[in-house]
Amino acid sequence: MSTGKMSMPRESVASALAPRRCSATIPRMMKWSAWMPRAIDRGSVAASLLVLLLGGCGDRAVTRHVALHECRLAKLASAAQCATVEVPEDRSKPEGRTLALSVAMLPANTLSPDADPLFMLAGGPGQSAEALVPVAVALAGVRRTRDIVLIDPRGAGKSAPLKCAALAPRDPFDELIDADLGATAAPRCLAELRAAGNVDVSHYITPETVADVDAVRAALGYERINLWGGSYGTRVAQEFVRRYPSRVRSMVLDGVAPPAMRITLDIWPAREAALADVLAACAEDAVCKRAYPNLNATLGEIKTALGVSRRINITDPRTGVLREVPMTFDTVVGALHGFVYAPELASLIPPLLGRAQAGDFAPLMATAMLSAGDLEQTLNLALHYAVTCAEDAPRVTAGDRSRILATLRAPSLASRNLAACDGWPRPTLPEDFYAPLISAIPTLILSGGLDPVTPPADGEIVAKSLSNSRHVIAAGYGHIVTPHACASRLIEKFIDAAGFSTLPQSCLDYLATSKRPPIFSSLLEPK
């Protein structure tokens, strides 16, 4: 995405009208009429063509207040249209520091796009729009008739990213080995940001992101939009509907987080439950159980063997170089938690634990790097802490903490994550920020039946206060359903109708009856 300032002079706004794809065609059609045979009433034909063309797109005209220019996005084969939208860092001080939000639009594949685009909201918190590109590509059916808009949230990607050396992206292998999870790095990052003196991290929170989304909507000239939110992005989507209900035509929530969810604490027991389900699935499979009779005992043996920490030799799966690294039980559990996000990787857990029990941790770490993907490159950890430490950590009581940590295999993972919030600002949030969203806006809720962080129970909680919603559970899928199987077609039909009457029943049936991938009894094959 472009980071250059692209504010459009007032006199140039007319050249950026949305019917760009229609108005560009009209002159060609009128020139074509110039060489038509005189036997045909050229004036009548030209007028008819003009009426037809304007009838197809004139009522969809939008006036841009920013200039769009062609750009390229990683993982997107075709060109996008990019711009920057200026917003104040502190809306109570409009004359103060401004932020340039990076915006990318994937234009609709039609000469007459529908007036209401799809705005996609990333997760994390802290993910950039780049992480959403593969999901946007999966929604090609939506893009047939609608623009798709991606926004780097303030503090991430190219939208004035929060930068500090303490939380700078590191080598993925080193990141996996270090189970600190920011307990010491996050406070150091905060100190860096404060020392710089030009950033007020108290304004990098969900309510400000929501206001930014509306500013982008207005700058691009859209009256109403459709929303897609994934994971934390569902919090942003729900809050947008709460603040700007008249601006939303429909909403898709994939991997939904209820407004009252405490990300800093509630994700840990959910991950533990998902891991327990994988171990139980092995115990219920005759072949897997024969190969690994008691995986809980296996985990216990690994914990005992590693002790507090043990230095081991492990081959870097990318280079083949042998490295001596510290290995802890927290590292093992943290890796397993990453696997359960993707059921295909979770199916490998039994043989991976078997190899680790034998002292070979290389397959475990190689798979962990695969599950981490490019997360470190698309997730701004400083923004992650700015949001979660402001919105979630303050609601964790001492009683909640001790009660939940006592149920975890590696409680220090959660306790260090909570400790990372020490000292971060806790700005005042709207009084109803944590209340259930009450709305009649058409809402499609998607949940993966194997989701380890926003399980279907969360979708049920949110659906209760959304009177015009439908909750679809993809039983055999994990976190974020949209790119899988027929889910994108489901979303396309829902957005087209802003309702549920045309949802393909075959797709609903498939998702409801989908199964967990086969559990592997060895690293070579399932069962």
Side-chain angles (χ1 to χ4, degrees), residues 90-112:
D90 181 352
R91 285 184 162 80
S92 69
K93 300 175 182 177
E95 303 305 317
R97 180 175 185 248
T98 60
L99 308 176
L101 302 179
S102 181
V103 180
M105 182 185 73
L106 282 54
N109 293 316
T110 177
L111 293 176
S112 54

Side-chain angles (χ1 to χ4, degrees), residues 86 124 147 172 217 230 255 278 322 327 415 492:
E86 301 266 349
D147 299 334
R217 176 204 58 77
V278 175
L322 192 66
M327 180 65 65
S415 62
E492 174 194 350

Side-chain angles (χ1 to χ4, degrees), residues 89 97 99 125-126 152-169 186 189-190 192-194 196 198-205 209 376 379-388 424-425:
E89 180 183 63
R97 180 175 185 248
L99 308 176
D152 279 343
R154 61 166 59 197
K158 297 176 183 177
S159 293
L162 296 177
K163 293 182 179 180
C164 59
L167 289 176
C189 176
L190 179 61
E192 286 184 52
L193 293 172
R194 284 176 168 165
N198 63 338
V199 175
D200 185 348
V201 294
S202 67
H203 293 290
Y204 292 76
I205 53 177
T209 297
E376 291 302 316
L379 181 71
N380 186 295
L381 284 172
L383 178 59
H384 177 85
Y385 288 116
V387 173
T388 58
W424 283 77

Side-chain angles (χ1 to χ4, degrees), residues 22 42 56 73 83 88 121 135 157 172 175-176 217 269 278 302 375 412 460 462 477 494-495 513 518:
C22 297
R42 291 178 296 180
L73 304 181
L121 307 172
V135 185
E175 193 71 32
L176 289 167
R217 176 204 58 77
V278 175
I302 293 172
L375 183 63
S412 52
E460 290 299 314
V462 171
Y477 291 88
F494 166 72
I495 293 177
T513 58

Side-chain angles (χ1 to χ4, degrees), residues 68-140:
L68 291 164
H69 70 281
E70 186 173 294
C71 59
R72 291 286 175 175
L73 304 181
K75 302 177 183 177
L76 183 66
S78 59
Q81 296 291 315
C82 290
T84 56
V85 176
E86 301 266 349
V87 297
E89 180 183 63
D90 181 352
R91 285 184 162 80
S92 69
K93 300 175 182 177
E95 303 305 317
R97 180 175 185 248
T98 60
L99 308 176
L101 302 179
S102 181
V103 180
M105 182 185 73
L106 282 54
N109 293 316
T110 177
L111 293 176
S112 54
D114 289 327
D116 45 275
L118 177 64
F119 273 47
M120 300 187 68
L121 307 172
Q127 271 192 318
S128 67
E130 181 182 335
L132 284 183
V133 170
V135 185
V137 169
L139 293 174

Side-chain angles (χ1 to χ4, degrees), residues 283-366:
E284 294 168 2
D285 180 273
V287 178
C288 188
K289 184 176 182 179
R290 185 163 54 249
Y292 309 102
N294 191 335
L295 286 174
N296 283 299
T298 298
L299 274 169
E301 291 179 21
I302 293 172
K303 181 177 182 180
T304 300
L306 291 174
V308 176
S309 180
R310 176 178 149 197
R311 299 196 70 82
I312 64 170
N313 291 320
I314 188 169
T315 301
D316 187 321
R318 302 161 301 175
T319 64
V321 174
L322 192 66
R323 297 177 56 179
E324 185 183 60
V325 299
M327 180 65 65
T328 68
F329 186 63
D330 283 358
T331 303
V332 173
V333 174
L336 297 177
H337 283 179
F339 300 162
V340 294
Y341 277 74
E344 295 80 6
L345 291 180
S347 294
L348 292 170
I349 287 177
L352 291 173
L353 288 180
R355 294 286 290 270
Q357 183 185 28
D360 181 8
F361 291 87
L364 179 78
M365 300 311 296

